[in-house]
Structure formats: C-alpha cells, structure tokens
Amino acid sequence: MASFGKVAALLLLLLSFCGASMGNFWTDVDITWGGSRAAITNNGQQLQLSMDRTSGSGFQSKNEYLFGRFDMKIKLVPGNSAGTVTAYYLSSQGPTHDEIDMEFLGNETGQPYTLHTNVYTQGKGNREQQFRLWFDPTADFHTYTILWNPRLVMFYVDGTLIRMFRNHESAGVAYPSRQAMRMYSSLWDAEDWATQGGRVKTDWSKAPFVATFGDIAINGCVWKGSASSCGASSSSWMNQAAASSDLQKMQWVQRNYMIYNYCKDVNRFPQGLPAECSLA
Ligand SMILES: *[C@@H]1O[C@H](CO)[C@@H](O)[C@H](O)[C@H]1NC(C)=O
C-alpha cells in the first residue's frame, strides 16, 4: 500500500502544478519605476529590467495577497554584474511591515552570485541566510518560488527547498500572518555593499545591465481590504507542509551551498540566538 500512497502523492503533486495558473505580466504587474528601462515583451510572457548610471527599474504586483505561492523565472545580469542587486520579494507596508526576500547579489565576471534571503516580521528582520547556487544563474532561466501559508514560508530554487521559516507564534515568535503583501522585483545599484562587501564597484562601462523575468505565476489569496479570496488552486499551497523529501533536499543545499546563517552567528547575538533558531 505504500507504493499506492506514493503514486497518489505524485498525482496530487502533478495536479497541484497543473492547477497553478500561469500568469501574464500585463495583467499581473505594474511597472513602478525606471521608465523605459523596464519593458514587458513577448505578449506579456517576459519582462526585462535594466539599469544604467541614472536609474534602475522595478515592478510590483497589481494585487496584494494574504498567503500564496509565487513562482518566477529569472535570468540574472550576465558578465560583470558586480554592484547590481536583482530583488524578488513580498512586502507589506509601514514601519511594522512583514517581508520575505530573495535578493541576488551580482559579482565580477566568473565569480559566483550570492542569493541573499531574509524574513521580516512586524518590522524586524535580521534573519539572513545566504546561498551559492549550483548552476550559473545568468546562462538560463531558473525558477524561484516563495510559498507562504499560515504554517510556514518556504523558499525554493528550481523546485528544491532551500530555506523554511515555520510559524512559531505559539512560542512568541512573530509570523507574517496578518498583513497582506505585494510581490516586488527590482534591479538596482548597491555598489556600496553588495559585492565583496563593497570593495568591488559597479563597472558603468558595461551598462545597461539587464535581468529578464518570465513565466510569472502568482497563486494567492487576493486581499480586498478586509477579506481575501483564494481561488481554486489554493488548497495545494495553503495546506502544504514540509514533506520529508523537501527537508532532505534542504539539508543537502544547506550543507553544501549555504554561506551564511544568522542562526549560527553567535557573535552577532550576544544576548542569545533568536528563539526560532532552537525550535524545530
Ligand atoms: C563574489 O566572488 C567572491 C570571490 O569568489 C566571493 O568571495 C563573494 O562572496 C562573491 N559574491 C559577492 C556578492 O560578493
């Protein structure tokens, strides 16, 4: 019967992927800054952000969401991308905002990108984890996913779980569960700190820098000011827990590709590591 269970689980998984609706940049997002540096192409299937000395560029989802699954393909700035940051994140507004971040810190030609992640709850972050990728993120599109439901936040790269933030509200750790968030993306200049601690600056002779986004798929509970409507696909991600196969992959990634973990940084937290670090 175990194999029947596996087949059923696989079918469910396939169904949940089919149920996830593919979006369109024209209908799902607004370009919010950078003017013509941001452009929707291919009938809404792709979006390009570029950055020159004058400005970067960015876009945001038209809707706000209270929980959802956000899939995006990104092909990062190739060549010498030192100083550039390509950001992909969810955020609510205000001083006590919640935020779930993926940021790609560029590097000199041939040197690896850093994937920087963070989780803010009620205005407080300081939960950085950084990773190397196991592929060249500039050679092709790869899928970056944020899954956010009442139980946990999961970060995926090409379907591989790399990080999880569980709901430990019962242990007094704030969780993003009350503030609707928008999805944002931007390409901006952070030469003061992004690359090798700010030692390597942006080489403006290589501008414009371009990152390309594709296959946007937002499946979330759209927030309507006081209530949200979740749509047919929601059951798959709304109830998703961490499967043991996901956790095994996460262990593999964290063992081999994690380069910074706030939960291991005892010098930074002399009063003791954040509570969630010692909770399963
Ligand atoms: C850039 O490459 C250097 C050398 O390989 C590495 O130490 C650094 O972490 C890389 N990433 C960033 C964002 O500086």
Side-chain angles (χ1 to χ4, degrees):
M1 289 322 275
S3 65
F4 174 76
K6 270 184 195 153
V7 171
L10 195 66
L11 275 175
L12 265 178
L13 195 71
L14 284 173
L15 275 175
S16 67
F17 280 122
C18 300
S21 67
M22 194 66 78
N24 180 298
F25 286 100
W26 286 118
T27 52
D28 293 351
V29 309
D30 289 318
I31 289 170
T32 42
W33 60 286
S36 60
R37 290 175 192 81
I40 296 174
T41 63
N42 299 48
N43 291 319
Q45 297 308 301
Q46 290 191 354
L47 189 154
Q48 275 197 350
L49 291 182
S50 71
M51 178 177 89
D52 55 34
R53 207 185 249 286
T54 311
S55 178
S57 53
F59 62 96
Q60 66 184 45
S61 62
K62 289 186 196 282
N63 289 318
E64 290 182 291
Y65 302 88
L66 189 61
F67 306 121
R69 174 183 170 133
F70 304 78
D71 290 278
M72 182 77 84
K73 284 198 172 153
I74 310 176
K75 192 174 171 184
L76 293 167
V77 175
N80 186 350
S81 59
T84 72
V85 174
T86 304
Y88 167 52
Y89 62 104
L90 310 179
S91 184
S92 64
Q93 311 230 327
T96 57
H97 76 294
D98 296 332
E99 187 175 316
I100 302 168
D101 287 327
M102 281 187 163
E103 291 187 307
F104 300 89
L105 315 183
N107 217 331
E108 294 172 289
T109 307
Q111 300 301 319
Y113 263 79
T114 296
L115 168 52
H116 175 96
T117 65
N118 204 352
V119 176
Y120 286 73
T121 54
Q122 293 169 19
K124 193 180 146 291
N126 298 329
R127 297 194 175 97
E128 297 86 355
Q129 289 185 350
Q130 294 186 333
F131 303 85
R132 292 267 181 262
L133 296 163
W134 48 94
F135 50 84
D136 174 1
T138 71
D140 215 334
F141 286 97
H142 292 271
T143 304
Y144 303 96
T145 304
I146 298 172
L147 188 150
W148 167 42
N149 71 25
R151 284 191 223 201
L152 38 69
V153 173
M154 298 204 273
F155 299 73
Y156 291 90
V157 174
D158 287 335
T160 296
L161 185 67
I162 63 160
R163 174 174 188 178
M164 194 166 65
F165 182 76
R166 287 188 196 266
N167 186 336
H168 287 302
E169 272 180 334
S170 62
V173 180
Y175 186 79
S177 56
R178 285 171 202 86
Q179 306 187 66
M181 299 203 262
R182 225 178 265 284
M183 191 269 288
Y184 297 86
S185 252
S186 55
L187 175 57
W188 51 286
D189 176 43
E191 67 175 359
D192 291 343
W193 60 270
T195 303
Q196 301 178 31
R199 284 190 300 280
V200 182
K201 304 294 182 196
T202 307
D203 178 359
W204 293 108
S205 75
K206 300 294 188 313
F209 302 97
V210 177
T212 312
F213 298 75
D215 290 7
I216 182 172
I218 303 181
N219 292 276
C221 302
V222 177
W223 182 248
K224 303 268 169 59
S226 57
S228 62
S229 77
C230 297
S233 75
S234 65
S235 56
S236 62
W237 45 262
M238 202 55 160
N239 303 315
Q240 192 162 329
S244 60
S245 55
D246 267 351
L247 293 177
Q248 273 169 18
K249 285 188 194 159
M250 186 173 81
Q251 275 178 11
W252 172 78
V253 172
Q254 297 198 347
R255 203 175 303 130
N256 294 290
Y257 295 97
M258 186 184 255
I259 55 171
Y260 179 79
N261 182 2
Y262 74 109
C263 278
K264 297 268 157 73
D265 197 346
V266 288
N267 294 328
R268 182 178 172 195
F269 301 101
Q271 264 74 271
L273 291 169
E276 69 272 15
C277 293
S278 55
L279 298 165

